[in-house]
Amino acid sequence: MSSFASWGLTILGLAVVMTIAEMLLPSGKLKRVIRSVFATITALCIITPIPTLLKSLGAKIDGITFDKDIDITDSEYLDYIDGRKKSIIERGAIEYLATKGIEGVNIEVELDSSGYGVKCARVDFSKFPNIGITQDGEHINKSEIILLIAEYFGVGKEAIMTYG
């Protein structure tokens, strides 16, 4: 018997049991409670196999692809997720520095074993035009930027490596 047929028979069986239960129970609060319980169970039975059905069809709904061959342990997928997390964390740090008036610094982070904290960061100052004393008299020190980045990530300044 196909899974679709067994799904339909399950729903039909629940409808029959619910009808019999309603005929046997006296009217009142208990009947309403039992009707609610059966309605909830029926809704769960209807909804439960839908993701499996969509996955088996390889369907695509609103940009979400239900692929038959997806494997949650796939290393490429995990690498993609780690890359996205790193990108979001790096972008947040760059935006934080921009709020402090420091722009043009490139930051690359290495995540800790939990995947959410920062283990260390590498800061590229090669494209940063305002290091040292400029002709406008503005002085920006690398150590100040390193302290800001360390503060943002919640790590010690020794975890921030610089080049450029």
Side-chain angles (χ1 to χ4, degrees), residues 35-108:
R35 186 182 298 161
S36 311
V37 169
F38 271 113
T40 304
I41 292 171
T42 304
L44 288 174
C45 287
I46 291 171
I47 293 172
T48 302
I50 290 177
T52 307
L53 178 66
L54 291 175
K55 189 175 178 182
S56 69
L57 296 174
K60 184 174 182 176
I61 300 173
D62 292 335
I64 300 171
T65 303
F66 297 92
D67 191 2
K68 294 185 212 182
D69 302 326
I70 194 162
D71 183 11
I72 197 69
T73 61
D74 190 5
S75 65
E76 290 176 7
Y77 176 73
L78 295 174
D79 290 343
Y80 169 76
I81 294 299
D82 286 342
R84 295 291 298 165
K85 283 191 284 189
K86 284 174 60 170
S87 173
I88 291 168
I89 291 169
E90 291 165 355
R91 195 172 44 235
I94 291 169
E95 290 174 6
Y96 172 73
L97 290 177
T99 62
K100 301 289 185 181
I102 301 168
E103 295 184 11
V105 176
N106 186 24
I107 301 172
E108 185 180 326

Side-chain angles (χ1 to χ4, degrees), residues 1-163:
M1 183 182 301
S2 74
S3 60
F4 183 71
S6 64
W7 181 49
L9 285 174
T10 303
I11 295 169
L12 183 64
L14 278 171
V16 170
V17 170
M18 186 167 46
T19 305
I20 293 171
E22 279 191 39
M23 287 190 295
L24 294 175
L25 290 171
S27 60
K29 278 190 171 183
L30 182 62
K31 189 172 187 175
R32 283 185 273 162
V33 169
I34 300 242
R35 186 182 298 161
S36 311
V37 169
F38 271 113
T40 304
I41 292 171
T42 304
L44 288 174
C45 287
I46 291 171
I47 293 172
T48 302
I50 290 177
T52 307
L53 178 66
L54 291 175
K55 189 175 178 182
S56 69
L57 296 174
K60 184 174 182 176
I61 300 173
D62 292 335
I64 300 171
T65 303
F66 297 92
D67 191 2
K68 294 185 212 182
D69 302 326
I70 194 162
D71 183 11
I72 197 69
T73 61
D74 190 5
S75 65
E76 290 176 7
Y77 176 73
L78 295 174
D79 290 343
Y80 169 76
I81 294 299
D82 286 342
R84 295 291 298 165
K85 283 191 284 189
K86 284 174 60 170
S87 173
I88 291 168
I89 291 169
E90 291 165 355
R91 195 172 44 235
I94 291 169
E95 290 174 6
Y96 172 73
L97 290 177
T99 62
K100 301 289 185 181
I102 301 168
E103 295 184 11
V105 176
N106 186 24
I107 301 172
E108 185 180 326
V109 298
E110 184 178 325
L111 301 177
D112 62 9
S113 60
S114 72
Y116 294 101
V118 174
K119 182 179 178 181
C120 65
R122 287 176 289 286
V123 182
D124 180 10
F125 288 112
S126 62
K127 297 179 182 174
F128 189 68
N130 296 331
I131 292 293
I133 300 172
T134 62
Q135 21 177 290
D136 298 336
E138 180 183 1
H139 177 72
I140 298 176
N141 193 347
K142 285 184 181 181
S143 62
E144 293 172 12
I145 298 172
I146 292 169
L147 286 174
L148 283 173
I149 295 170
E151 173 188 312
Y152 178 78
F153 289 135
V155 296
K157 65 180 181 180
E158 63 278 354
I160 310 298
M161 297 170 274
T162 63
Y163 60 96

